[in-house]
Amino acid sequence: VCETCGVSLPGQFDGQAAYCDDCLAVQRPWTAGRAAMSYRDVGRRIVLALKHGDRVDLAPPAAGWMARAGAPVLGPDTVLVPIPAHWSRLLTRRYNQAAELSRALARRTGLHHCPDALVRGKRTAKQDGMSVDQRFANLHGAIRVNPKRIPSLKGRPVCLIDDVMTSGATMTVATSAALAAGASRVCILVLARVEKAP
């Protein structure tokens, strides 16, 4: 898999770090990343059921898959930080699927879970169908650190948790916020990674 985003790669690399075309073309601010599955077929159905189908019962088994995939990037002092949802989305969805995954992953791994470390200060448009540049523009200034949680992040490794990664725009903005708060390093772990068609 790509060392930076977790997308699956063809071929064998004999234990050497490998990188996908996207991560070679776009410099990522995080250190490493992993994904438990590809966002297609069953993986896509699981993510959509968790996100829009009230299937929070999927979070514990999904956390097991994420713990296995994320083992290389989850150190013993890592703080798990979910990508935040805007309060208006929480009114309609009633929960943040990233926070549910982060909570279940913390239970499974014993790592510290800080659900409100990041705040989504503005409601962004849904990113489906947006280009990479549009996604980055849409998220500009949308995510910031909760000032009360800076001591929880300062000097510690942070792992950002989300349900799915497409372009990496959300992870980029969240990583910048965590690093600005003093995180020693940031890695990412998602349930599913969108892959380009072969």
Side-chain angles (χ1 to χ4, degrees):
V1 300
C2 174
E3 180 67 21
T4 309
C5 74
V7 73
S8 60
L9 298 172
Q12 298 201 348
F13 297 92
D14 300 323
Q16 295 180 352
Y19 301 92
C20 71
D21 291 344
D22 287 347
C23 290
L24 288 172
V26 178
Q27 187 173 6
R28 309 291 193 181
W30 61 86
T31 305
R34 293 294 185 273
M37 63 181 71
S38 175
Y39 185 71
R40 65 173 185 258
D41 304 326
V42 174
R44 184 175 185 274
R45 288 196 296 272
I46 290 171
V47 169
L48 292 176
L50 174 64
K51 191 170 194 165
H52 301 295
D54 288 336
R55 292 293 310 276
V56 290
D57 60 297
L58 292 171
W65 308 325
M66 292 173 75
R68 275 195 303 279
V73 299
L74 295 174
D77 195 35
T78 302
V79 180
L80 303 177
V81 174
I83 295 297
H86 191 262
W87 66 266
S88 61
R89 288 226 201 282
L90 291 175
L91 285 178
T92 56
R93 203 177 286 157
R94 298 189 312 278
Y95 60 91
N96 175 1
Q97 70 278 1
E100 295 297 324
L101 290 168
S102 181
R103 182 178 297 108
L105 186 61
R107 284 191 191 118
R108 182 169 287 270
T109 61
L111 295 173
H112 178 68
H113 161 67
C114 193
D116 60 346
L118 298 178
V119 177
R120 193 175 289 249
K122 72 174 187 178
R123 182 174 177 145
T124 52
K126 290 188 178 182
Q127 304 207 115
D128 299 341
M130 288 186 181
S131 70
V132 173
D133 289 341
Q134 289 170 328
R135 286 170 181 262
F136 275 90
N138 185 43
L139 285 160
H140 180 72
I143 297 174
R144 58 178 167 49
V145 171
N146 179 344
K148 294 178 183 177
R149 297 295 176 240
I150 289 174
S152 299
L153 305 184
K154 194 164 186 168
R156 295 184 66 185
V158 166
C159 184
L160 298 174
I161 306 296
D162 207 359
D163 58 342
V164 64
M165 177 181 156
T166 304
S167 67
T170 302
M171 290 299 191
T172 296
V173 172
T175 297
S176 297
L179 290 172
S184 61
R185 74 181 191 100
V186 177
C187 66
I188 66 164
L189 178 57
V190 295
L191 176 56
R193 174 71 165 100
V194 173
E195 299 185 357
K196 291 180 179 176

mmCIF file of all heavy atoms in Angstrom, residues 55-88:
data_model
loop_
_atom_site.group_PDB
_atom_site.id
_atom_site.type_symbol
_atom_site.label_atom_id
_atom_site.label_comp_id
_atom_site.label_asym_id
_atom_site.label_seq_id
_atom_site.Cartn_x
_atom_site.Cartn_y
_atom_site.Cartn_z
ATOM 1 N N ARG A 55 -26.259 2.971 10.899
ATOM 2 C CA ARG A 55 -25.659 1.684 11.255
ATOM 3 C C ARG A 55 -24.405 1.890 12.104
ATOM 4 O O ARG A 55 -23.313 1.476 11.743
ATOM 5 C CB ARG A 55 -25.333 0.894 9.982
ATOM 6 C CG ARG A 55 -26.532 0.409 9.191
ATOM 7 C CD ARG A 55 -27.349 -0.652 9.931
ATOM 8 N NE ARG A 55 -26.544 -1.734 10.438
ATOM 9 C CZ ARG A 55 -26.174 -2.801 9.722
ATOM 10 N NH1 ARG A 55 -26.569 -2.923 8.476
ATOM 11 N NH2 ARG A 55 -25.431 -3.756 10.268
ATOM 12 N N VAL A 56 -24.590 2.535 13.267
ATOM 13 C CA VAL A 56 -23.447 2.746 14.159
ATOM 14 C C VAL A 56 -22.930 1.415 14.714
ATOM 15 O O VAL A 56 -21.808 1.348 15.212
ATOM 16 C CB VAL A 56 -23.778 3.728 15.305
ATOM 17 C CG1 VAL A 56 -23.951 5.138 14.777
ATOM 18 C CG2 VAL A 56 -24.998 3.286 16.070
ATOM 19 N N ASP A 57 -23.746 0.360 14.601
ATOM 20 C CA ASP A 57 -23.295 -0.961 15.039
ATOM 21 C C ASP A 57 -22.134 -1.482 14.184
ATOM 22 O O ASP A 57 -21.456 -2.431 14.577
ATOM 23 C CB ASP A 57 -24.454 -1.965 14.995
ATOM 24 C CG ASP A 57 -25.027 -2.105 13.583
ATOM 25 O OD1 ASP A 57 -25.552 -1.099 13.057
ATOM 26 O OD2 ASP A 57 -24.955 -3.207 13.014
ATOM 27 N N LEU A 58 -21.897 -0.842 13.030
ATOM 28 C CA LEU A 58 -20.775 -1.240 12.178
ATOM 29 C C LEU A 58 -19.441 -0.695 12.688
ATOM 30 O O LEU A 58 -18.379 -1.162 12.268
ATOM 31 C CB LEU A 58 -21.007 -0.747 10.744
ATOM 32 C CG LEU A 58 -22.160 -1.405 9.992
ATOM 33 C CD1 LEU A 58 -22.413 -0.681 8.679
ATOM 34 C CD2 LEU A 58 -21.866 -2.880 9.752
ATOM 35 N N ALA A 59 -19.486 0.293 13.571
ATOM 36 C CA ALA A 59 -18.236 0.918 14.031
ATOM 37 C C ALA A 59 -17.299 -0.064 14.751
ATOM 38 O O ALA A 59 -16.100 -0.064 14.452
ATOM 39 C CB ALA A 59 -18.530 2.134 14.908
ATOM 40 N N PRO A 60 -17.774 -0.903 15.683
ATOM 41 C CA PRO A 60 -16.826 -1.818 16.344
ATOM 42 C C PRO A 60 -16.119 -2.802 15.407
ATOM 43 O O PRO A 60 -14.890 -2.909 15.469
ATOM 44 C CB PRO A 60 -17.693 -2.531 17.392
ATOM 45 C CG PRO A 60 -18.775 -1.535 17.700
ATOM 46 C CD PRO A 60 -19.084 -0.895 16.376
ATOM 47 N N PRO A 61 -16.837 -3.512 14.511
ATOM 48 C CA PRO A 61 -16.072 -4.381 13.606
ATOM 49 C C PRO A 61 -15.172 -3.590 12.660
ATOM 50 O O PRO A 61 -14.047 -4.010 12.357
ATOM 51 C CB PRO A 61 -17.141 -5.171 12.841
ATOM 52 C CG PRO A 61 -18.424 -4.458 13.053
ATOM 53 C CD PRO A 61 -18.281 -3.708 14.338
ATOM 54 N N ALA A 62 -15.641 -2.427 12.205
ATOM 55 C CA ALA A 62 -14.812 -1.588 11.334
ATOM 56 C C ALA A 62 -13.543 -1.155 12.065
ATOM 57 O O ALA A 62 -12.460 -1.101 11.476
ATOM 58 C CB ALA A 62 -15.606 -0.371 10.863
ATOM 59 N N ALA A 63 -13.668 -0.864 13.358
ATOM 60 C CA ALA A 63 -12.500 -0.475 14.157
ATOM 61 C C ALA A 63 -11.484 -1.610 14.224
ATOM 62 O O ALA A 63 -10.271 -1.367 14.251
ATOM 63 C CB ALA A 63 -12.928 -0.050 15.557
ATOM 64 N N GLY A 64 -11.969 -2.848 14.241
ATOM 65 C CA GLY A 64 -11.054 -3.994 14.219
ATOM 66 C C GLY A 64 -10.247 -4.037 12.933
ATOM 67 O O GLY A 64 -9.029 -4.255 12.950
ATOM 68 N N TRP A 65 -10.919 -3.797 11.814
ATOM 69 C CA TRP A 65 -10.207 -3.768 10.525
ATOM 70 C C TRP A 65 -9.220 -2.611 10.494
ATOM 71 O O TRP A 65 -8.111 -2.750 9.987
ATOM 72 C CB TRP A 65 -11.200 -3.654 9.366
ATOM 73 C CG TRP A 65 -12.291 -4.675 9.380
ATOM 74 C CD1 TRP A 65 -12.196 -5.974 9.803
ATOM 75 C CD2 TRP A 65 -13.645 -4.489 8.970
ATOM 76 N NE1 TRP A 65 -13.415 -6.597 9.684
ATOM 77 C CE2 TRP A 65 -14.321 -5.723 9.174
ATOM 78 C CE3 TRP A 65 -14.356 -3.418 8.450
ATOM 79 C CZ2 TRP A 65 -15.661 -5.895 8.871
ATOM 80 C CZ3 TRP A 65 -15.701 -3.588 8.147
ATOM 81 C CH2 TRP A 65 -16.346 -4.818 8.351
ATOM 82 N N MET A 66 -9.645 -1.461 11.033
ATOM 83 C CA MET A 66 -8.772 -0.291 11.037
ATOM 84 C C MET A 66 -7.558 -0.507 11.948
ATOM 85 O O MET A 66 -6.454 -0.060 11.638
ATOM 86 C CB MET A 66 -9.557 0.948 11.462
ATOM 87 C CG MET A 66 -10.595 1.374 10.437
ATOM 88 S SD MET A 66 -11.675 2.718 11.027
ATOM 89 C CE MET A 66 -10.551 4.121 10.912
ATOM 90 N N ALA A 67 -7.763 -1.177 13.077
ATOM 91 C CA ALA A 67 -6.648 -1.447 13.993
ATOM 92 C C ALA A 67 -5.592 -2.305 13.306
ATOM 93 O O ALA A 67 -4.381 -2.054 13.454
ATOM 94 C CB ALA A 67 -7.158 -2.140 15.260
ATOM 95 N N ARG A 68 -6.035 -3.314 12.543
ATOM 96 C CA ARG A 68 -5.081 -4.152 11.820
ATOM 97 C C ARG A 68 -4.345 -3.353 10.746
ATOM 98 O O ARG A 68 -3.129 -3.407 10.632
ATOM 99 C CB ARG A 68 -5.796 -5.347 11.179
ATOM 100 C CG ARG A 68 -5.959 -6.525 12.107
ATOM 101 C CD ARG A 68 -6.317 -7.800 11.390
ATOM 102 N NE ARG A 68 -7.539 -7.705 10.596
ATOM 103 C CZ ARG A 68 -8.775 -7.813 11.079
ATOM 104 N NH1 ARG A 68 -8.947 -8.018 12.370
ATOM 105 N NH2 ARG A 68 -9.827 -7.714 10.285
ATOM 106 N N ALA A 69 -5.105 -2.605 9.944
ATOM 107 C CA ALA A 69 -4.489 -1.817 8.867
ATOM 108 C C ALA A 69 -3.586 -0.731 9.429
ATOM 109 O O ALA A 69 -2.543 -0.415 8.852
ATOM 110 C CB ALA A 69 -5.571 -1.195 7.988
ATOM 111 N N GLY A 70 -3.974 -0.148 10.559
ATOM 112 C CA GLY A 70 -3.246 0.979 11.133
ATOM 113 C C GLY A 70 -2.117 0.617 12.071
ATOM 114 O O GLY A 70 -1.422 1.510 12.557
ATOM 115 N N ALA A 71 -1.900 -0.669 12.309
ATOM 116 C CA ALA A 71 -0.854 -1.084 13.254
ATOM 117 C C ALA A 71 0.499 -0.430 12.983
ATOM 118 O O ALA A 71 1.184 -0.008 13.925
ATOM 119 C CB ALA A 71 -0.733 -2.610 13.271
ATOM 120 N N PRO A 72 0.918 -0.271 11.711
ATOM 121 C CA PRO A 72 2.233 0.349 11.479
ATOM 122 C C PRO A 72 2.310 1.836 11.830
ATOM 123 O O PRO A 72 3.414 2.372 11.968
ATOM 124 C CB PRO A 72 2.457 0.171 9.962
ATOM 125 C CG PRO A 72 1.529 -0.921 9.547
ATOM 126 C CD PRO A 72 0.346 -0.806 10.463
ATOM 127 N N VAL A 73 1.170 2.510 11.964
ATOM 128 C CA VAL A 73 1.219 3.960 12.212
ATOM 129 C C VAL A 73 0.719 4.353 13.599
ATOM 130 O O VAL A 73 0.806 5.521 13.970
ATOM 131 C CB VAL A 73 0.419 4.737 11.127
ATOM 132 C CG1 VAL A 73 1.010 4.488 9.752
ATOM 133 C CG2 VAL A 73 -1.059 4.418 11.159
ATOM 134 N N LEU A 74 0.201 3.412 14.354
ATOM 135 C CA LEU A 74 -0.354 3.718 15.678
ATOM 136 C C LEU A 74 0.652 3.373 16.771
ATOM 137 O O LEU A 74 0.817 2.217 17.146
ATOM 138 C CB LEU A 74 -1.660 2.934 15.909
ATOM 139 C CG LEU A 74 -2.825 3.287 15.002
ATOM 140 C CD1 LEU A 74 -3.999 2.327 15.239
ATOM 141 C CD2 LEU A 74 -3.274 4.723 15.209
ATOM 142 N N GLY A 75 1.327 4.393 17.285
ATOM 143 C CA GLY A 75 2.266 4.184 18.380
ATOM 144 C C GLY A 75 1.543 4.201 19.718
ATOM 145 O O GLY A 75 0.374 4.588 19.811
ATOM 146 N N PRO A 76 2.219 3.814 20.797
ATOM 147 C CA PRO A 76 1.573 3.688 22.107
ATOM 148 C C PRO A 76 1.073 4.996 22.714
ATOM 149 O O PRO A 76 0.192 4.982 23.557
ATOM 150 C CB PRO A 76 2.650 3.056 22.985
ATOM 151 C CG PRO A 76 3.939 3.339 22.288
ATOM 152 C CD PRO A 76 3.628 3.413 20.827
ATOM 153 N N ASP A 77 1.617 6.130 22.295
ATOM 154 C CA ASP A 77 1.216 7.419 22.881
ATOM 155 C C ASP A 77 0.308 8.217 21.932
ATOM 156 O O ASP A 77 0.033 9.379 22.160
ATOM 157 C CB ASP A 77 2.472 8.235 23.219
ATOM 158 C CG ASP A 77 2.165 9.396 24.146
ATOM 159 O OD1 ASP A 77 1.288 9.253 25.021
ATOM 160 O OD2 ASP A 77 2.787 10.471 23.977
ATOM 161 N N THR A 78 -0.175 7.563 20.874
ATOM 162 C CA THR A 78 -0.959 8.253 19.851
ATOM 163 C C THR A 78 -2.315 8.701 20.388
ATOM 164 O O THR A 78 -2.991 7.962 21.094
ATOM 165 C CB THR A 78 -1.176 7.337 18.630
ATOM 166 O OG1 THR A 78 0.106 6.952 18.123
ATOM 167 C CG2 THR A 78 -1.960 8.025 17.538
ATOM 168 N N VAL A 79 -2.709 9.913 20.019
ATOM 169 C CA VAL A 79 -4.038 10.434 20.328
ATOM 170 C C VAL A 79 -4.904 10.275 19.077
ATOM 171 O O VAL A 79 -4.533 10.736 17.999
ATOM 172 C CB VAL A 79 -3.985 11.935 20.726
ATOM 173 C CG1 VAL A 79 -5.375 12.452 21.047
ATOM 174 C CG2 VAL A 79 -3.045 12.151 21.885
ATOM 175 N N LEU A 80 -6.039 9.615 19.229
ATOM 176 C CA LEU A 80 -6.976 9.436 18.120
ATOM 177 C C LEU A 80 -7.909 10.640 18.042
ATOM 178 O O LEU A 80 -8.584 10.969 19.018
ATOM 179 C CB LEU A 80 -7.791 8.156 18.312
ATOM 180 C CG LEU A 80 -6.988 6.866 18.452
ATOM 181 C CD1 LEU A 80 -7.921 5.691 18.720
ATOM 182 C CD2 LEU A 80 -6.132 6.612 17.226
ATOM 183 N N VAL A 81 -7.934 11.281 16.879
ATOM 184 C CA VAL A 81 -8.724 12.499 16.696
ATOM 185 C C VAL A 81 -9.608 12.340 15.467
ATOM 186 O O VAL A 81 -9.105 12.264 14.343
ATOM 187 C CB VAL A 81 -7.809 13.734 16.533
ATOM 188 C CG1 VAL A 81 -8.633 14.972 16.208
ATOM 189 C CG2 VAL A 81 -6.976 13.957 17.794
ATOM 190 N N PRO A 82 -10.928 12.286 15.656
ATOM 191 C CA PRO A 82 -11.815 12.163 14.499
ATOM 192 C C PRO A 82 -11.953 13.473 13.736
ATOM 193 O O PRO A 82 -11.872 14.552 14.315
ATOM 194 C CB PRO A 82 -13.151 11.753 15.125
ATOM 195 C CG PRO A 82 -13.112 12.307 16.505
ATOM 196 C CD PRO A 82 -11.663 12.267 16.931
ATOM 197 N N ILE A 83 -12.163 13.352 12.431
ATOM 198 C CA ILE A 83 -12.484 14.526 11.624
ATOM 199 C C ILE A 83 -13.845 15.040 12.104
ATOM 200 O O ILE A 83 -14.806 14.272 12.210
ATOM 201 C CB ILE A 83 -12.523 14.167 10.125
ATOM 202 C CG1 ILE A 83 -11.138 13.741 9.647
ATOM 203 C CG2 ILE A 83 -13.066 15.332 9.297
ATOM 204 C CD1 ILE A 83 -10.058 14.804 9.734
ATOM 205 N N PRO A 84 -13.957 16.325 12.420
ATOM 206 C CA PRO A 84 -15.212 16.828 12.994
ATOM 207 C C PRO A 84 -16.307 17.031 11.948
ATOM 208 O O PRO A 84 -16.033 17.264 10.771
ATOM 209 C CB PRO A 84 -14.797 18.170 13.594
ATOM 210 C CG PRO A 84 -13.656 18.619 12.733
ATOM 211 C CD PRO A 84 -12.928 17.371 12.323
ATOM 212 N N ALA A 85 -17.536 16.949 12.409
ATOM 213 C CA ALA A 85 -18.709 17.273 11.590
ATOM 214 C C ALA A 85 -19.254 18.619 12.075
ATOM 215 O O ALA A 85 -19.174 18.934 13.265
ATOM 216 C CB ALA A 85 -19.779 16.200 11.723
ATOM 217 N N HIS A 86 -19.790 19.393 11.155
ATOM 218 C CA HIS A 86 -20.415 20.663 11.543
ATOM 219 C C HIS A 86 -21.681 20.375 12.341
ATOM 220 O O HIS A 86 -22.384 19.388 12.083
ATOM 221 C CB HIS A 86 -20.744 21.479 10.288
ATOM 222 C CG HIS A 86 -21.146 22.883 10.584
ATOM 223 N ND1 HIS A 86 -22.472 23.269 10.651
ATOM 224 C CD2 HIS A 86 -20.406 23.997 10.846
ATOM 225 C CE1 HIS A 86 -22.524 24.567 10.936
ATOM 226 N NE2 HIS A 86 -21.287 25.030 11.058
ATOM 227 N N TRP A 87 -21.998 21.236 13.305
ATOM 228 C CA TRP A 87 -23.152 20.988 14.180
ATOM 229 C C TRP A 87 -24.450 20.831 13.384
ATOM 230 O O TRP A 87 -25.335 20.067 13.777
ATOM 231 C CB TRP A 87 -23.284 22.103 15.226
ATOM 232 C CG TRP A 87 -23.620 23.452 14.653
ATOM 233 C CD1 TRP A 87 -22.735 24.438 14.314
ATOM 234 C CD2 TRP A 87 -24.917 23.960 14.335
ATOM 235 N NE1 TRP A 87 -23.397 25.518 13.804
ATOM 236 C CE2 TRP A 87 -24.740 25.267 13.803
ATOM 237 C CE3 TRP A 87 -26.209 23.450 14.440
ATOM 238 C CZ2 TRP A 87 -25.815 26.047 13.380
ATOM 239 C CZ3 TRP A 87 -27.271 24.230 14.019
ATOM 240 C CH2 TRP A 87 -27.074 25.511 13.503
ATOM 241 N N SER A 88 -24.568 21.526 12.264
ATOM 242 C CA SER A 88 -25.810 21.421 11.489
ATOM 243 C C SER A 88 -25.948 20.043 10.840
ATOM 244 O O SER A 88 -27.059 19.538 10.684
ATOM 245 C CB SER A 88 -25.882 22.520 10.418
ATOM 246 O OG SER A 88 -24.805 22.389 9.506
#
